[in-house]
Amino acid sequence: MVKKLVIVGNGMAGIKCVEEILDLEPDQFQITIFGAEPRPGYNRVLLSKMLQDESSFEHIVTHNWAWYEENGVRLYAGERVCNFDIAARTVETETGIKEPYDMLILATGSLPFIPPIPGARKRGVIAFRDASDCETMAEYAQTYEKATVIGGGLLGLEAAQGLLNLGKEVGVVHNAQYLMNRQLDQTAAALLQRELEQQGMWFHLAKKTVNIMGRNRVRGLMFSDGNRLETDLVVLAVGIRPNIELVQGSGLKVNHAIVVDDYMRTSIPDIYAVGECAEHCGISYGLVAPLYEQCKVLAKVICGRETTPYEGSIPYAQLKVAGIHVFSAGNIREEGNETAVMEYDGMRGIYKKVMMRNGAVTGAILFGDTAESTSLLGMVRRGAPTTELASQDRGVSRAEEAAAALPEEETVCACNGVSKGTILRAITTDKLKTVEEVKSRTKASASCGGCRPLVAALVKNGLSRSTVSEAVVTLTDQEVVPVCGCTHYDHDSLKTAMVAAVCRTPAEVVSRLGWTRQQGCELCRPAVLYYLESLGLREISASSQLAGDVAIQTTAQHGGEPVSASLRFVNFMGLNGESQLFSESNQIGGEAWVEAVRLKERLSAVWGSRALPAPIAVAVCPGPEYPGGVLVRDIGLSRSPAGWEVYAGGHAEHPVRQGRLLGVEENAEEALLMAIACLQMYRHNARYGEKMWEWIERTDVLVLRESVLDAALRSGLAGMAGSLRDYNSDRVTG
């Protein structure tokens, strides 16, 4: 017999329950959903994207109208349930629709908390909770210029970022001493505030709003200290409260929210509650992940399946606005905890703090780089011993390291309950090659997106373990541009595939990586040869071939010069405007000039004929009186009162680029090592034909600078290049 199942609430909890039930028992129930909003299901986590990306509502829809029809689910959209009769087992809407039920799930969600501030109901004061609120904010933003968000938590900052993206002047008023005070410590909050201020946001912290001024509509705010703030628009984002109006006086046990047991059952048989309107063990959760965990348990209960009880959730939060990545999980307070790990990189804006109690991990904060969020969340949930906090191997990215260390049964996407094993099986079975494909297939990263770096690392790892003849693409949302028409590989994935397939000759590249033209073309032939050499897979000779008797030219033209001509030195000019050649006979600058000459000779000898992705122009100058265009050359070394300045990434032609200062060394020896290390990083990481300034702008000059300033790493890079074989026999001294 088909049972009548009614769900009150078409939000993320209600729809998730239906999805789980359909997966278990697609034919057991006649399902009816009542939704107060006149919309299909959408991702509330992405509401701010409607403002930030100026995208339409359709971009955040998770279940379109067709989904309900295809799954036999009857949806009453725009119908608010105002009453339910426990004895008659019916629910009734404000328009008079009555629906009988055998089982009832209450998923009414939450309402925005409206603080008791005089003037909170004035025109121009908006709550931020649903899609209609976003549309109202966007409409008001067309008329008014100055907006103020009351609330410096997750929701408030997302709303503020959305308004900022619309070109408004945006401020945030927060009653605490620092932002996101429930999820962050002062260090992480200061980093967050600095980033947001650089984007144009301003803040009034430790301010209590006591009045929203204006006769008919908002004109400003008054604070408890007597100060005032003019504003045209006020957004309230100070919290939420469970939506329990429907059940008041119904006989259901209610505390702060609808009280449920470990199986999401209320105090009345056949009535269940889930999500933000439910209270379990005294806690009602306002986050997506706990909501989904509850839905999985409830679906099995509804379908009569055995299930483990719901035992509560570890609260965690992720903020992802305008490229700022923040993660917090568990208990991050100092009281009762100790600091297990703390890392702070002010130059790159990266912060990590892990808390512990009695040798067990209790909480974590990540700022700037959240690749470890999933593994740390797992540790917090398990109360893992701090011995699991192994030191990081900087040879790979944090995301790749975290992906490799994660057990297959561990959850990667906490929002949707997707494990590492599920993702890897989908990649292998369905031959998935991008994060978007994984998201579509498994829903991993489909909600808040915080696990996206880890999913990307799993895609990369999964591809490297699968058949390498499959096309490998980059893991970003950007369009992949193949090297040429002979292959579907772009430059980055080509290098990865060549290493994975252990290709040592051009012929092996053709056969193992599925080239469509056996002889290659003028674009891929030199690229293949260059990567074989630069990756250390094979020494390249002039007679190397891709296939058959077709020879490869190692001097493909780029900007009129062959790539094999790796370094070109630029003459500097004296004060008289005449070109000064690097020659012992032109000794006009004393000791500094001799140093410059020897630096040029040593750099040329050390690098030899070793190829680079594109021709490199080098300027070595003994001082400011001998301008050699140091700032507009790929590599520039210039003597200064403090020592030798080393620059990289300059470009003298269109588009003109000024070189970035990598560092200053007291002696020429260390400056030379710094330049060699920079060239080595460029040689191994850049794409064939990519100029140095293009490579630096595509990647991160801070990472380059950090690497070449590390003395040990610098020497290691120089050694990798084989650059010290002649260097140590005749050192340049300063």
Side-chain angles (χ1 to χ4, degrees):
M1 177 180 175
V2 176
K3 297 179 181 179
K4 295 180 179 180
L5 174 63
V6 172
I7 296 95
V8 180
N10 190 39
M12 297 177 74
I15 295 180
K16 182 63 175 177
C17 278
V18 172
E19 280 188 325
E20 295 289 339
I21 291 168
L22 290 174
D23 284 343
L24 295 172
E25 296 288 348
D27 302 318
Q28 185 176 336
F29 300 97
Q30 177 187 314
I31 301 176
T32 302
I33 301 177
F34 288 92
E37 293 186 70
R39 307 173 187 273
Y42 64 90
N43 189 342
R44 197 179 299 274
V45 176
L46 301 180
L47 269 177
S48 59
K49 296 296 182 182
M50 290 180 64
L51 298 173
Q52 292 178 32
D53 299 335
E54 300 182 4
S55 59
S56 64
F57 173 76
E58 285 68 27
H59 287 86
I60 66 170
V61 169
T62 57
H63 300 76
N64 58 26
W65 300 111
W67 179 85
Y68 297 89
E69 184 176 350
E70 291 168 358
N71 287 279
V73 176
R74 182 169 52 175
L75 170 65
Y76 286 103
E79 290 286 349
R80 187 183 302 275
V81 174
C82 62
N83 184 39
F84 68 99
D85 189 324
I86 294 174
R89 290 183 172 241
T90 61
V91 299
E92 184 178 357
T93 70
E94 291 175 341
T95 63
I97 297 175
K98 278 191 176 182
E99 185 71 23
Y101 68 83
D102 295 310
M103 301 175 117
L104 175 65
I105 297 176
L106 300 173
T108 52
S110 62
L111 298 172
F113 173 71
I114 306 299
I117 303 172
R121 302 293 179 180
K122 284 186 171 74
R123 288 178 54 234
V125 180
I126 309 168
F128 180 52
R129 189 59 187 157
D130 57 30
S132 296
D133 295 332
C134 282
E135 292 172 349
T136 302
M137 289 168 62
E139 180 182 344
Y140 276 28
Q142 295 177 5
T143 304
Y144 303 105
E145 293 300 321
K146 190 170 184 178
T148 302
V149 177
I150 299 180
L154 278 168
L155 200 62
L157 295 179
E158 289 179 356
Q161 183 61 49
L163 289 165
L164 193 68
N165 191 68
L166 292 176
K168 304 298 106 179
E169 181 184 344
V170 182
V172 175
V173 174
H174 194 42
N175 60 3
Q177 296 288 339
Y178 56 92
L179 299 174
M180 291 181 63
N181 52 293
R182 293 183 178 180
Q183 296 90 15
L184 303 180
D185 62 6
Q186 287 187 290
T187 302
L191 286 169
L192 175 60
Q193 182 176 340
R194 183 182 69 182
E195 291 284 343
L196 292 172
E197 285 175 340
Q198 289 175 353
Q199 295 179 16
M201 210 176 291
W202 46 267
F203 298 91
H204 287 280
L205 300 178
K207 294 288 187 181
K208 181 180 179 181
T209 305
V210 295
N211 190 25
I212 298 177
M213 301 181 297
R215 183 179 296 274
N216 296 317
R217 71 173 319 281
V218 61
R219 298 297 180 192
L221 303 178
M222 178 180 288
F223 303 127
S224 58
D225 58 9
N227 290 322
R228 300 187 178 195
L229 174 66
E230 292 185 2
T231 188
D232 302 318
L233 176 64
V234 172
V235 177
L236 298 175
V238 294
I240 58 174
R241 59 183 178 87
N243 183 7
I244 56 174
E245 294 175 358
L246 175 63
V247 301
Q248 296 286 5
S250 66
L252 284 177
K253 185 178 180 180
V254 176
N255 189 16
H256 179 64
I258 303 170
V259 176
V260 297
D261 64 9
D262 292 347
Y263 298 94
M264 313 315 297
R265 298 175 298 205
T266 69
S267 57
I268 295 179
D270 297 325
I271 299 180
Y272 307 84
V274 68
E276 294 167 327
C277 69
E279 180 180 324
H280 176 265
C281 294
I283 302 173
S284 55
Y285 297 92
L287 301 169
V288 175
L291 175 157
Y292 282 1
E293 291 170 12
Q294 293 174 0
C295 289
K296 287 180 179 294
V297 172
L298 177 54
K300 290 182 178 179
V301 171
I302 291 287
C303 294
R305 303 286 186 89
E306 288 189 10
T307 179
T308 55
Y310 175 68
E311 298 178 343
S313 301
I314 296 295
Y316 78 95
Q318 289 185 313
L319 174 70
K320 190 177 181 183
V321 294
I324 302 174
H325 301 276
V326 183
F327 169 81
S328 172
N331 186 350
I332 51 90
R333 299 299 168 205
E334 297 286 347
E335 298 80 10
N337 288 315
E338 298 177 81
T339 301
V341 174
M342 186 167 69
E343 299 175 8
Y344 180 57
D345 186 337
M347 181 178 292
R348 298 168 63 193
I350 293 176
Y351 177 65
K352 172 183 175 180
K353 184 178 182 181
V354 181
M355 305 302 294
M356 68 177 183
R357 180 185 300 165
N358 298 326
V361 177
T362 57
I365 298 172
L366 298 174
F367 184 92
D369 184 347
T370 57
E372 296 175 87
S373 60
T374 300
S375 58
L376 285 173
L377 178 59
M379 291 183 194
V380 173
R381 282 175 168 164
R382 300 192 313 273
T386 53
T387 52
E388 290 190 24
L389 296 168
S391 59
Q392 302 296 318
D393 177 6
R394 300 307 181 204
V396 296
S397 71
R398 287 180 183 264
E400 290 179 55
E401 182 179 286
L406 205 64
E408 292 209 358
E409 66 275 8
E410 189 70 76
T411 299
V412 170
C413 179
C415 292
N416 296 295
V418 187
S419 69
K420 173 182 174 179
T422 299
I423 294 172
L424 288 177
R425 284 191 292 273
I427 291 170
T428 304
T429 304
D430 299 337
K431 299 181 179 180
L432 307 181
K433 302 180 180 71
T434 67
V435 174
E436 288 302 315
E437 290 177 347
V438 171
K439 180 170 75 172
S440 176
R441 177 67 179 81
T442 68
K443 294 193 175 180
S445 78
S447 294
C448 75
C451 62
R452 187 179 181 86
L454 193 58
V455 175
L458 288 172
V459 172
K460 182 176 180 180
N461 179 264
L463 287 172
S464 67
R465 298 193 314 184
S466 61
T467 305
V468 295
S469 60
E470 294 291 337
V472 179
V473 297
T474 56
L475 303 175
T476 67
D477 294 328
Q478 300 175 355
E479 182 181 359
V480 174
V481 179
V483 174
C484 65
C486 305
T487 178
H488 5 56
Y489 291 92
D490 67 349
H491 284 274
D492 294 331
S493 59
L494 173 59
K495 290 193 287 184
T496 301
M498 287 171 66
V499 172
V502 197
C503 298
R504 302 195 180 280
T505 67
E508 290 178 347
V509 173
V510 167
S511 62
R512 296 179 184 179
L513 302 184
W515 243 242
T516 58
R517 286 196 291 265
Q518 295 301 301
Q519 72 277 14
C521 67
E522 66 276 5
L523 295 177
C524 65
R525 287 195 296 261
V528 166
L529 287 174
Y530 172 73
Y531 291 143
L532 285 170
E533 179 184 355
S534 65
L535 295 172
L537 298 173
R538 178 175 185 256
E539 291 295 324
I540 301 300
S541 65
S543 61
S544 296
Q545 299 176 350
L546 267 182
D549 297 324
V550 182
I552 304 299
Q553 300 298 318
T554 62
T555 57
Q557 296 295 313
H558 285 273
E561 294 187 53
V563 172
S564 59
S566 57
L567 299 181
R568 175 174 61 87
F569 289 86
V570 180
N571 296 335
F572 56 77
M573 306 290 291
L575 293 177
N576 58 5
E578 296 179 357
S579 176
Q580 307 297 321
L581 300 178
F582 285 110
S583 168
E584 294 291 341
S585 62
N586 282 332
Q587 216 175 99
I588 60 176
E591 181 182 349
W593 190 89
V594 173
E595 272 191 335
V597 172
R598 297 186 68 192
L599 262 178
K600 175 263 175 184
E601 291 174 345
R602 286 300 177 194
L603 184 55
S604 179
V606 162
W607 202 260
S609 60
R610 190 176 296 273
L612 286 161
I616 292 294
V618 180
V620 185
C621 294
E625 65 271 27
Y626 303 106
V630 169
L631 293 180
V632 288
R633 305 300 176 189
D634 299 286
I635 295 289
L637 297 98
S638 180
R639 180 69 181 267
S640 71
W644 282 92
E645 298 173 345
V646 182
Y647 296 87
H651 192 238
E653 302 173 2
H654 180 76
V656 176
R657 291 290 189 274
Q658 179 174 313
R660 313 290 186 90
L661 179 65
L662 298 184
V664 181
E665 293 294 340
E666 292 184 5
N667 58 62
E669 172 185 338
E670 294 301 327
L672 177 58
L673 279 177
M674 186 179 293
I676 293 169
C678 175
L679 287 169
Q680 180 66 3
M681 289 186 68
Y682 169 60
R683 180 171 183 263
H684 276 271
N685 298 321
R687 298 161 182 165
Y688 180 75
E690 186 175 38
K691 295 180 174 61
M692 179 169 280
W693 70 267
E694 294 174 321
W695 169 64
I696 289 176
E697 290 193 358
R698 177 174 63 84
T699 53
D700 190 346
V701 69
L702 294 180
V703 175
L704 172 61
R705 186 178 294 143
E706 189 177 58
S707 299
V708 300
L709 286 175
D710 185 315
L713 182 57
R714 180 167 65 205
S715 296
L717 285 167
M720 285 170 59
S723 55
L724 298 179
R725 60 179 185 270
D726 299 320
Y727 177 70
N728 286 327
S729 64
D730 187 9
R731 293 225 169 190
V732 180
T733 57

